[in-house]
Amino acid sequence: MIIGIDIGGTNIKGIILGNQKVIAKVKVSTKSKTNQKIILDQIFKCIEKLIKKANHVGHTMSHIKGIGVGVAGPVDFKNQKILNPPNVIALKNLELGKLIEKKFGIKTIIENDGHLMTLAETILGAGKNKNNVVGITLGTGVGGGLVIDKKIIHGENGTAGEIGHMTINEHGRKCNCGSRGCLETYLSELGIRKTSYEFFHKRIKSYDLHQIARKGNSEAIEVWDEIGKSLGVGLANIIDVFNPEIIVVGGGIARGAGELLINPAKKEMRKNVLSESAKKTPVILAKLNEYAGAIGAGLLFN
Ligand SMILES: [Zn+2]
């Protein structure tokens, strides 16, 4: 049995995995983005609740093989240190794995959440039986990962897979990272609201935007076409560099918008990819739900 948790800006989600199946789920509020003690208490609370659930199904602490932890933003994987998380800034430079190990006496590994979503989709979701998978996750931020032969590719410093900060328009919108025109400035929740403003003169939530598009509002469909085009440029860059077997697109925004986003993205991707054979790269929606990151964290002990 393994515990997987995923620390987000709003919630901390946790699961127990047994034989690659989710046997329990827990969600607690992150409560703070800036107070380290409050966030740590919430992380510990999430793990304690999972241990309690494991007890209920007849397992003791000694049956728990490990705790995998996902966080948004770059992680120094070698030194098991969170670098600069954009959504939970209080965890900056924290050796969170060591703290959890000390508290519970269970081996703990920390990892970037985009990497974990990609790992989870590769082993249990849309990329099952594929060997060379790129994942993109669209939510508050835009993350991603590259998994080859069921192993996460970390790169030299552990920061590979920051797909959200690929520049797709050097004169484009200002990004939180300090750069301009990053994919995230178009595909994150805020980016989508900004694009909707250009059409509707008001910022519309991605949820409302796909709801009205599905009712046939042609302007809303056009907004998704525009956002899809930006994603398509990003996909083409990824394919030209990595030539993956498949690209899995996940996260709350992709789950909600579905084909409204994916179809125009694929069209734009085909226009921009160099090789004829690579134009056929499947781009598909993720299959796992909002617990994908936590499941990926559990699979670190696979
Ligand atoms: Zn950026």
Side-chain angles (χ1 to χ4, degrees):
M1 250 181 11
I2 304 148
I3 284 178
I5 68 168
D6 182 11
I7 304 164
T10 316
N11 290 307
I12 300 164
K13 286 165 232 161
I15 52 102
I16 300 177
L17 269 191
N19 289 329
Q20 296 201 346
K21 282 200 173 63
V22 176
I23 51 181
K25 281 186 213 170
V26 158
K27 196 194 273 185
V28 305
S29 160
T30 311
K31 272 194 180 166
S32 171
K33 289 178 176 30
T34 48
N35 185 319
Q36 197 180 86
K37 184 173 179 316
I38 294 178
I39 303 170
L40 274 176
D41 282 347
Q42 290 302 97
I43 294 168
F44 293 158
K45 192 170 149 191
C46 180
I47 296 169
E48 277 157 5
K49 280 188 169 194
L50 287 163
I51 291 170
K52 226 180 229 174
K53 288 206 172 204
N55 288 341
H56 278 176
V57 290
H59 292 280
T60 61
M61 287 264 279
S62 63
H63 293 158
I64 299 166
K65 211 163 106 187
I67 301 175
V69 182
V71 285
V75 168
D76 175 350
F77 189 75
K78 267 185 222 159
N79 297 307
Q80 282 291 291
K81 201 167 160 182
I82 301 172
L83 296 174
N84 46 339
N87 297 321
V88 198
I89 47 171
L91 299 182
K92 189 174 173 175
N93 291 330
L94 190 70
E95 291 181 330
L96 179 63
K98 272 191 194 157
L99 291 176
I100 295 175
E101 272 182 12
K102 208 171 141 197
K103 170 119 180 132
F104 295 97
I106 301 171
K107 165 104 181 124
T108 303
I109 304 177
I110 59 168
E111 176 60 279
N112 167 274
D113 61 353
H115 291 180
L116 294 176
M117 167 269 183
T118 311
L119 182 68
E121 288 291 337
T122 304
I123 295 176
L124 297 173
K128 220 171 172 177
N129 304 320
K130 307 285 183 205
N131 293 318
N132 183 349
V133 180
V134 170
I136 306 177
T137 162
L138 312 176
T140 311
V142 173
L146 171 62
V147 170
I148 295 176
D149 293 330
K150 298 196 170 79
K151 292 265 175 310
I152 294 167
I153 303 300
H154 289 102
E156 183 60 22
N157 303 305
T159 59
E162 286 293 351
I163 291 166
H165 298 282
M166 171 199 300
T167 305
I168 59 163
N169 176 2
E170 62 174 319
H171 304 296
R173 293 173 185 164
K174 212 159 182 238
C175 184
N176 284 335
C177 72
S179 184
R180 269 192 186 277
C182 296
L183 191 64
E184 179 167 299
T185 65
Y186 301 93
L187 270 301
S188 64
E189 179 62 34
L190 185 62
I192 289 168
R193 290 181 195 185
K194 281 185 180 165
T195 306
S196 71
Y197 186 86
E198 288 165 9
F199 284 74
F200 290 95
H201 303 292
K202 62 175 178 182
R203 288 187 177 192
I204 301 173
K205 280 188 209 165
S206 70
Y207 177 83
D208 295 333
L209 194 65
H210 65 72
Q211 291 295 101
I212 56 174
R214 289 216 167 84
K215 284 181 187 144
N217 182 302
S218 58
E219 258 187 322
I221 294 169
E222 226 180 297
V223 180
W224 283 114
D225 281 349
E226 193 64 28
I227 298 164
K229 269 190 201 166
S230 301
L231 176 58
V233 172
L235 293 174
N237 289 338
I238 292 167
I239 293 169
D240 281 338
V241 176
F242 292 114
N243 186 205
E245 200 175 345
I246 190 172
I247 299 181
V248 180
V249 186
I253 291 167
R255 258 197 309 280
E259 302 304 317
L260 285 165
L261 173 69
I262 292 294
N263 288 345
K266 283 199 245 186
K267 205 169 149 193
E268 187 67 22
M269 173 273 273
R270 284 186 210 111
K271 266 197 238 165
N272 289 280
V273 164
L274 179 68
S275 126
E276 275 309 313
S277 58
K279 284 181 197 286
K280 296 183 188 122
T281 308
V283 177
I284 55 172
L285 288 163
K287 282 206 176 125
L288 302 173
N289 59 16
E290 56 171 332
Y291 287 85
I295 295 170
L299 290 169
L300 288 172
F301 287 86
N302 203 26

Coordinates of all heavy atoms in Angstrom, one line a residue, residues 213-278:
A213 N -20.6 28.0 -24.9 CA -20.2 27.4 -26.2 C -21.0 26.2 -26.5 O -21.5 26.1 -27.7 CB -18.7 27.1 -26.2
R214 N -21.3 25.4 -25.6 CA -22.1 24.1 -25.8 C -23.5 24.5 -26.2 O -24.2 23.7 -26.8 CB -22.0 23.2 -24.6 CG -20.7 22.6 -24.5 CD -20.7 21.2 -24.0 NE -19.3 20.6 -24.2 CZ -18.3 20.7 -23.3 NH1 -18.5 21.4 -22.2 NH2 -17.2 20.2 -23.6
K215 N -24.0 25.6 -25.7 CA -25.3 26.0 -26.0 C -25.4 26.6 -27.4 O -26.4 27.1 -27.9 CB -25.9 27.0 -25.0 CG -26.3 26.3 -23.7 CD -26.8 27.3 -22.7 CE -27.1 26.6 -21.4 NZ -26.8 27.4 -20.2
G216 N -24.2 26.7 -28.1 CA -24.2 27.2 -29.5 C -23.8 28.6 -29.7 O -23.8 29.1 -30.8
N217 N -23.3 29.3 -28.6 CA -22.9 30.7 -28.8 C -21.6 30.7 -29.6 O -20.6 30.2 -29.3 CB -22.6 31.3 -27.4 CG -22.2 32.7 -27.4 OD1 -21.2 33.1 -28.1 ND2 -22.9 33.6 -26.7
S218 N -21.8 31.4 -30.8 CA -20.7 31.3 -31.8 C -19.4 32.1 -31.4 O -18.3 31.7 -31.6 CB -21.1 31.8 -33.2 OG -21.6 33.1 -33.1
E219 N -19.6 33.1 -30.6 CA -18.5 33.9 -30.1 C -17.7 33.1 -29.1 O -16.5 33.1 -29.1 CB -18.9 35.2 -29.5 CG -18.7 36.4 -30.4 CD -19.0 37.7 -29.7 OE1 -20.0 37.8 -28.9 OE2 -18.3 38.7 -30.0
A220 N -18.4 32.4 -28.2 CA -17.7 31.5 -27.2 C -17.0 30.4 -27.9 O -15.8 30.1 -27.5 CB -18.7 31.0 -26.2
I221 N -17.5 29.9 -29.0 CA -16.8 28.8 -29.7 C -15.6 29.4 -30.4 O -14.5 28.8 -30.4 CB -17.8 28.2 -30.8 CG1 -18.9 27.5 -30.1 CG2 -17.0 27.3 -31.8 CD1 -20.1 27.0 -31.0
E222 N -15.7 30.6 -30.9 CA -14.5 31.3 -31.5 C -13.4 31.5 -30.4 O -12.2 31.4 -30.7 CB -15.0 32.7 -32.0 CG -14.5 33.0 -33.4 CD -15.0 34.3 -33.9 OE1 -16.2 34.5 -34.0 OE2 -14.1 35.2 -34.0
V223 N -13.8 31.9 -29.2 CA -12.8 32.0 -28.1 C -12.1 30.7 -27.9 O -10.8 30.7 -27.9 CB -13.4 32.5 -26.8 CG1 -12.4 32.7 -25.7 CG2 -14.2 33.8 -26.9
W224 N -12.8 29.6 -27.9 CA -12.1 28.3 -27.7 C -11.2 28.0 -28.9 O -10.2 27.4 -28.7 CB -13.2 27.2 -27.4 CG -13.7 27.2 -26.0 CD1 -15.0 27.5 -25.6 CD2 -12.9 27.0 -24.8 NE1 -15.1 27.4 -24.3 CE2 -13.8 27.1 -23.7 CE3 -11.6 26.7 -24.6 CZ2 -13.4 27.0 -22.4 CZ3 -11.2 26.5 -23.2 CH2 -12.1 26.6 -22.2
D225 N -11.7 28.4 -30.1 CA -10.8 28.2 -31.3 C -9.5 28.9 -31.1 O -8.4 28.4 -31.4 CB -11.5 28.7 -32.6 CG -12.6 27.7 -33.1 OD1 -12.6 26.6 -32.6 OD2 -13.4 28.1 -33.9
E226 N -9.6 30.1 -30.6 CA -8.4 31.0 -30.5 C -7.5 30.4 -29.4 O -6.3 30.3 -29.6 CB -8.9 32.4 -30.0 CG -7.9 33.5 -30.1 CD -7.4 33.8 -31.5 OE1 -8.2 33.6 -32.4 OE2 -6.3 34.2 -31.6
I227 N -8.1 29.9 -28.3 CA -7.3 29.3 -27.2 C -6.7 28.0 -27.7 O -5.5 27.7 -27.5 CB -8.1 29.1 -26.0 CG1 -8.7 30.4 -25.4 CG2 -7.4 28.4 -24.9 CD1 -9.8 30.3 -24.4
G228 N -7.5 27.3 -28.5 CA -7.0 26.0 -29.0 C -5.8 26.2 -30.0 O -4.9 25.4 -30.0
K229 N -5.9 27.3 -30.7 CA -4.7 27.6 -31.6 C -3.4 27.7 -30.9 O -2.4 27.2 -31.3 CB -5.0 28.9 -32.4 CG -5.7 28.6 -33.7 CD -5.7 30.0 -34.5 CE -6.8 29.9 -35.5 NZ -7.1 31.3 -36.1
S230 N -3.5 28.5 -29.7 CA -2.3 28.7 -28.9 C -1.8 27.3 -28.4 O -0.6 27.0 -28.5 CB -2.6 29.5 -27.7 OG -3.1 30.8 -28.1
L231 N -2.7 26.5 -28.0 CA -2.3 25.1 -27.5 C -1.7 24.4 -28.7 O -0.7 23.7 -28.5 CB -3.5 24.4 -27.0 CG -3.3 22.9 -26.5 CD1 -2.2 22.8 -25.4 CD2 -4.6 22.3 -26.0
G232 N -2.3 24.5 -29.9 CA -1.8 23.8 -31.1 C -0.3 24.2 -31.4 O 0.5 23.3 -31.8
V233 N 0.0 25.4 -31.2 CA 1.4 25.9 -31.5 C 2.3 25.2 -30.5 O 3.4 24.7 -30.8 CB 1.5 27.4 -31.4 CG1 3.0 27.9 -31.4 CG2 0.7 28.1 -32.5
G234 N 1.9 25.2 -29.2 CA 2.7 24.5 -28.2 C 2.8 23.0 -28.5 O 3.9 22.5 -28.4
L235 N 1.8 22.4 -28.9 CA 1.8 20.9 -29.2 C 2.8 20.7 -30.4 O 3.6 19.7 -30.3 CB 0.4 20.4 -29.6 CG -0.7 20.4 -28.6 CD1 -2.0 20.0 -29.2 CD2 -0.3 19.5 -27.4
A236 N 2.8 21.5 -31.4 CA 3.7 21.4 -32.5 C 5.1 21.5 -32.1 O 6.0 20.7 -32.5 CB 3.3 22.4 -33.6
N237 N 5.4 22.4 -31.2 CA 6.8 22.6 -30.7 C 7.2 21.3 -30.0 O 8.3 20.8 -30.2 CB 6.9 23.8 -29.7 CG 6.8 25.1 -30.5 OD1 7.0 25.2 -31.7 ND2 6.4 26.1 -29.7
I238 N 6.3 20.8 -29.1 CA 6.6 19.6 -28.4 C 6.9 18.4 -29.3 O 7.9 17.6 -29.2 CB 5.5 19.2 -27.4 CG1 5.3 20.3 -26.3 CG2 5.6 17.8 -26.8 CD1 4.0 20.2 -25.6
I239 N 6.1 18.3 -30.3 CA 6.2 17.1 -31.2 C 7.5 17.3 -32.1 O 8.2 16.3 -32.2 CB 4.9 17.0 -32.2 CG1 3.7 16.7 -31.3 CG2 5.2 16.0 -33.3 CD1 2.4 16.8 -32.0
D240 N 7.8 18.5 -32.5 CA 9.0 18.6 -33.3 C 10.3 18.3 -32.4 O 11.3 17.8 -32.9 CB 9.1 20.1 -33.8 CG 8.2 20.3 -35.1 OD1 7.9 19.3 -35.7 OD2 7.9 21.4 -35.4
V241 N 10.2 18.6 -31.2 CA 11.4 18.4 -30.3 C 11.4 16.9 -29.8 O 12.5 16.3 -29.9 CB 11.4 19.3 -29.1 CG1 12.6 19.0 -28.1 CG2 11.5 20.8 -29.5
F242 N 10.3 16.4 -29.4 CA 10.3 15.1 -28.7 C 9.8 13.9 -29.6 O 10.0 12.8 -29.2 CB 9.5 15.1 -27.4 CG 10.1 15.9 -26.3 CD1 9.5 17.1 -25.9 CD2 11.4 15.6 -25.8 CE1 10.1 17.9 -24.9 CE2 11.9 16.4 -24.8 CZ 11.3 17.5 -24.4
N243 N 9.0 14.2 -30.5 CA 8.3 13.2 -31.3 C 7.7 12.1 -30.4 O 8.0 10.9 -30.5 CB 9.3 12.5 -32.3 CG 8.7 11.5 -33.3 OD1 9.4 10.7 -33.8 ND2 7.4 11.7 -33.6
P244 N 6.8 12.5 -29.5 CA 6.2 11.5 -28.6 C 5.2 10.5 -29.3 O 4.8 10.8 -30.4 CB 5.5 12.3 -27.6 CG 5.1 13.6 -28.3 CD 6.2 13.8 -29.3
E245 N 5.0 9.4 -28.7 CA 4.0 8.5 -29.2 C 2.6 9.0 -29.1 O 1.7 8.8 -29.9 CB 4.1 7.2 -28.4 CG 3.6 5.9 -29.0 CD 3.9 4.7 -28.2 OE1 4.7 4.8 -27.2 OE2 3.3 3.7 -28.5
I246 N 2.4 9.8 -28.0 CA 1.0 10.3 -27.7 C 1.2 11.6 -26.8 O 2.1 11.7 -26.0 CB 0.2 9.2 -27.0 CG1 -1.3 9.7 -26.9 CG2 0.7 8.9 -25.6 CD1 -2.1 8.5 -26.3
I247 N 0.3 12.5 -26.9 CA 0.2 13.7 -26.0 C -1.1 13.6 -25.2 O -2.2 13.5 -25.9 CB 0.4 15.0 -26.7 CG1 1.7 15.1 -27.4 CG2 0.3 16.2 -25.7 CD1 2.0 16.4 -28.1
V248 N -1.0 13.6 -23.9 CA -2.3 13.6 -23.1 C -2.5 15.0 -22.5 O -1.6 15.5 -21.9 CB -2.1 12.5 -22.0 CG1 -3.4 12.5 -21.1 CG2 -1.8 11.2 -22.5
V249 N -3.7 15.5 -22.7 CA -4.0 16.8 -22.2 C -5.0 16.7 -21.0 O -6.1 16.2 -21.2 CB -4.6 17.8 -23.3 CG1 -4.7 19.2 -22.7 CG2 -3.7 17.8 -24.5
G250 N -4.6 17.1 -19.8 CA -5.5 17.0 -18.7 C -5.6 18.3 -17.9 O -5.3 19.4 -18.4
G251 N -6.1 18.2 -16.7 CA -6.3 19.3 -15.8 C -7.8 19.8 -15.9 O -8.5 19.4 -16.9
G252 N -8.2 20.5 -15.0 CA -9.6 21.0 -14.9 C -10.2 21.6 -16.2 O -11.3 21.4 -16.6
I253 N -9.3 22.5 -16.8 CA -9.8 23.2 -18.0 C -10.0 22.2 -19.1 O -11.0 22.3 -19.8 CB -8.8 24.3 -18.3 CG1 -8.9 25.4 -17.2 CG2 -9.1 24.9 -19.7 CD1 -7.8 26.4 -17.3
A254 N -9.1 21.3 -19.3 CA -9.2 20.4 -20.4 C -10.4 19.4 -20.2 O -11.2 19.1 -21.1 CB -8.0 19.6 -20.6
R255 N -10.6 19.0 -18.9 CA -11.8 18.2 -18.6 C -13.1 18.9 -18.9 O -14.0 18.3 -19.4 CB -11.7 17.8 -17.1 CG -11.2 16.5 -16.7 CD -11.6 16.0 -15.3 NE -11.3 17.0 -14.3 CZ -10.1 17.2 -13.8 NH1 -9.1 16.4 -14.2 NH2 -9.9 18.1 -12.8
G256 N -13.1 20.2 -18.6 CA -14.4 20.9 -18.9 C -14.6 21.2 -20.4 O -15.6 20.9 -20.9
A257 N -13.6 21.7 -21.0 CA -13.7 22.2 -22.4 C -13.7 21.0 -23.4 O -14.4 21.1 -24.5 CB -12.6 23.2 -22.8
G258 N -13.0 20.0 -23.1 CA -12.9 18.8 -24.0 C -12.7 19.1 -25.4 O -11.7 19.8 -25.8
E259 N -13.5 18.6 -26.3 CA -13.3 18.7 -27.8 C -13.3 20.2 -28.3 O -12.7 20.5 -29.3 CB -14.4 18.0 -28.6 CG -14.4 16.5 -28.2 CD -13.1 15.8 -28.4 OE1 -12.5 16.1 -29.4 OE2 -12.7 15.0 -27.5
L260 N -14.0 21.1 -27.5 CA -14.0 22.5 -27.9 C -12.6 23.1 -28.0 O -12.3 24.0 -28.8 CB -14.8 23.3 -26.8 CG -16.3 23.2 -26.8 CD1 -16.8 23.8 -25.5 CD2 -16.9 24.0 -28.0
L261 N -11.7 22.5 -27.1 CA -10.4 23.0 -27.1 C -9.4 22.1 -27.9 O -8.6 22.6 -28.6 CB -9.9 22.9 -25.6 CG -8.4 23.2 -25.3 CD1 -8.1 24.7 -25.6 CD2 -8.1 22.9 -23.9
I262 N -9.6 20.8 -27.8 CA -8.7 19.8 -28.4 C -8.8 19.9 -30.0 O -7.8 19.8 -30.6 CB -9.0 18.4 -27.9 CG1 -8.6 18.3 -26.4 CG2 -8.3 17.3 -28.7 CD1 -7.1 18.5 -26.1
N263 N -10.0 20.0 -30.5 CA -10.1 19.9 -32.0 C -9.4 21.1 -32.7 O -8.6 20.8 -33.6 CB -11.6 19.9 -32.4 CG -12.2 18.5 -32.1 OD1 -11.4 17.5 -31.9 ND2 -13.5 18.4 -32.1
P264 N -9.6 22.3 -32.3 CA -8.8 23.4 -32.9 C -7.3 23.3 -32.6 O -6.5 23.7 -33.5 CB -9.4 24.7 -32.3 CG -10.2 24.3 -31.1 CD -10.6 22.9 -31.3
A265 N -7.0 22.7 -31.5 CA -5.6 22.6 -31.1 C -4.9 21.6 -32.1 O -3.8 21.8 -32.6 CB -5.4 22.1 -29.7
K266 N -5.6 20.5 -32.4 CA -5.0 19.5 -33.3 C -4.9 20.0 -34.7 O -3.9 19.8 -35.4 CB -6.0 18.3 -33.3 CG -5.9 17.4 -32.1 CD -6.4 16.0 -32.4 CE -7.7 15.7 -31.6 NZ -8.2 14.4 -31.7
K267 N -5.9 20.8 -35.1 CA -5.8 21.4 -36.4 C -4.6 22.3 -36.6 O -3.8 22.2 -37.5 CB -7.1 22.2 -36.6 CG -7.5 22.4 -38.1 CD -8.9 23.0 -38.1 CE -9.1 23.8 -39.3 NZ -10.3 24.7 -39.3
E268 N -4.4 23.2 -35.6 CA -3.3 24.1 -35.6 C -1.9 23.3 -35.5 O -1.0 23.6 -36.2 CB -3.4 25.1 -34.4 CG -2.4 26.2 -34.4 CD -2.5 27.2 -35.6 OE1 -3.6 27.2 -36.2 OE2 -1.5 27.8 -35.9
M269 N -1.9 22.2 -34.7 CA -0.7 21.4 -34.5 C -0.3 20.9 -35.9 O 0.8 21.0 -36.3 CB -1.0 20.3 -33.5 CG 0.1 19.3 -33.3 SD 0.0 17.9 -34.5 CE -1.1 16.8 -33.7
R270 N -1.3 20.3 -36.6 CA -0.9 19.7 -37.9 C -0.4 20.7 -38.9 O 0.5 20.3 -39.7 CB -2.2 19.0 -38.5 CG -2.5 17.7 -37.8 CD -3.7 17.0 -38.5 NE -4.4 16.2 -37.5 CZ -5.6 16.5 -37.0 NH1 -6.3 17.5 -37.6 NH2 -6.2 15.8 -36.1
K271 N -0.8 21.9 -38.8 CA -0.3 23.0 -39.7 C 1.2 23.3 -39.4 O 1.9 23.6 -40.3 CB -1.1 24.3 -39.5 CG -2.2 24.5 -40.4 CD -2.7 25.9 -40.3 CE -4.1 26.0 -39.9 NZ -4.5 27.4 -39.5
N272 N 1.6 23.1 -38.1 CA 2.9 23.6 -37.7 C 4.0 22.5 -37.6 O 5.1 22.8 -37.5 CB 2.8 24.3 -36.4 CG 2.1 25.6 -36.5 OD1 2.7 26.6 -36.9 ND2 0.8 25.7 -36.3
V273 N 3.5 21.2 -37.5 CA 4.5 20.2 -37.3 C 5.3 19.9 -38.6 O 4.7 19.9 -39.7 CB 3.8 18.9 -36.8 CG1 4.7 17.7 -37.0 CG2 3.5 19.0 -35.3
L274 N 6.6 19.7 -38.5 CA 7.4 19.5 -39.7 C 7.1 18.2 -40.4 O 6.8 18.2 -41.6 CB 8.9 19.6 -39.3 CG 9.9 19.5 -40.5 CD1 9.8 20.6 -41.4 CD2 11.3 19.3 -39.9
S275 N 7.3 17.1 -39.7 CA 7.3 15.8 -40.4 C 5.8 15.3 -40.6 O 5.0 15.4 -39.8 CB 8.1 14.8 -39.6 OG 7.3 13.6 -39.3
E276 N 5.6 14.7 -41.8 CA 4.2 14.2 -42.2 C 3.8 13.2 -41.2 O 2.6 13.1 -40.8 CB 4.2 13.7 -43.6 CG 4.0 14.7 -44.7 CD 2.8 15.6 -44.5 OE1 1.7 15.1 -44.2 OE2 3.0 16.8 -44.6
S277 N 4.7 12.2 -40.8 CA 4.3 11.1 -40.0 C 3.9 11.7 -38.6 O 3.0 11.2 -37.9 CB 5.3 10.1 -39.9 OG 6.5 10.6 -39.5
A278 N 4.7 12.7 -38.1 CA 4.5 13.2 -36.7 C 3.2 14.0 -36.6 O 2.7 14.2 -35.6 CB 5.7 14.0 -36.3

